[in-house]
Amino acid sequence: AQSVTQPDIHITVSEGASLELRCNYSYGATPYLFWYVQSPGQGLQLLLKYFSGDTLVQGIKGFEAEFKRSQSSFNLRKPSVHWSDAAEYFCAVGSSGGSYIPTFGRGTSLIVHP
Amino acid sequence: KAGVTQTPRYLIKTRGQQVTLSCSPISGHRSVSWYQQTPGQGLQFLFEYFSETQRNKGNFPGRFSGRQFSNSRSEMNVSTLELGDSALYLCASSFKVGTEAFFGQGTRLTVV
């Protein structure tokens, strides 16, 4: 069965500092991978996705993520965090079809100090 | 292009009642998924519909059901509500199964 692990429940960074949120997945084939962000009381917004090709993907709001097959990871990065980036971040794995259940990680809460 | 619309945004129900939540996907999207989000369990997949057929189902009791109409709009029904059903229910639509999902703002259900 596929699974997604986000090992960090909370991460605290100072505004302007760099950020890396970790995501590890378990999936039999090449997965589709996603990062979503959720502000309090809101739905999830897609930040970026990986389907195939270039393993470094760029997303919205200055975020990027790198797919590393050998490490089964898809970590999210941002070079300089803004206070408005404080939110919950979810990594997710999907597939191209067949019988599967789309799987989300438990999320990482990002706290940004001024 | 309009996003995913969920109605209502907030609901308060009494234990034992039933509730129906509605989701209108992005135009052209034929796949609709439902998720339950709680602080304790995180995001849990309920079910997914594609072209009016349930394609996948998560591990929830039969009190949770759904359907999809020919215009891709979807409804989710929860019968015999329990206190533990209090959650944010999120709907997401995709062009096809497994690809990027676009989420609505959710329906906050409170069972008292």
Side-chain angles (χ1 to χ4, degrees), chain B residues 12-16 81-83 86 110-112:
Chain B
I12 299 176
K13 290 287 189 178
T14 305
R15 266 184 307 174
L81 284 165
E82 300 176 0
L83 295 179
S86 295
T110 302
V111 182
V112 298

Side-chain angles (χ1 to χ4, degrees), chain A residues 36 38 42-43 49 95 100 106, chain B residues 37 40 56 98 100-101 104-105:
Chain A
Y36 288 87
Q38 184 181 35
Q42 301 297 312
K49 61 184 184 287
S95 79
Y100 84 105
R106 291 299 301 270
Chain B
Q37 186 178 31
N56 295 288
E100 60 201 281
Q105 291 192 293

Side-chain angles (χ1 to χ4, degrees), chain A residues 9-24:
Chain A
I9 298 174
H10 302 282
I11 281 193
T12 301
V13 300
S14 298
E15 191 170 16
S18 63
L19 170 71
E20 181 169 33
L21 302 182
R22 296 182 291 165
C23 172
N24 293 96

Side-chain angles (χ1 to χ4, degrees), chain A residues 36-90:
Chain A
Y36 288 87
V37 61
Q38 184 181 35
S39 298
Q42 301 297 312
L44 278 68
Q45 180 183 22
L46 179 69
L47 284 175
L48 47 77
K49 61 184 184 287
Y50 172 79
F51 287 173
S52 65
D54 193 348
T55 56
L56 183 64
V57 293
Q58 302 296 321
I60 62 171
K61 304 186 180 186
F63 286 93
E64 66 177 28
E66 186 171 13
F67 171 59
K68 292 186 177 180
R69 183 189 303 275
S70 61
Q71 298 176 19
S72 296
S73 69
F74 189 58
N75 294 349
L76 182 71
R77 300 193 294 248
K78 186 169 185 177
S80 178
V81 170
H82 188 262
W83 65 266
S84 61
D85 293 325
E88 191 87 13
Y89 291 80
F90 294 91

Side-chain angles (χ1 to χ4, degrees), chain B residues 88-101:
Chain B
L88 180 66
Y89 289 88
L90 293 165
C91 167
S93 75
S94 325
F95 179 69
K96 63 176 184 175
V97 173
T99 57
E100 60 201 281

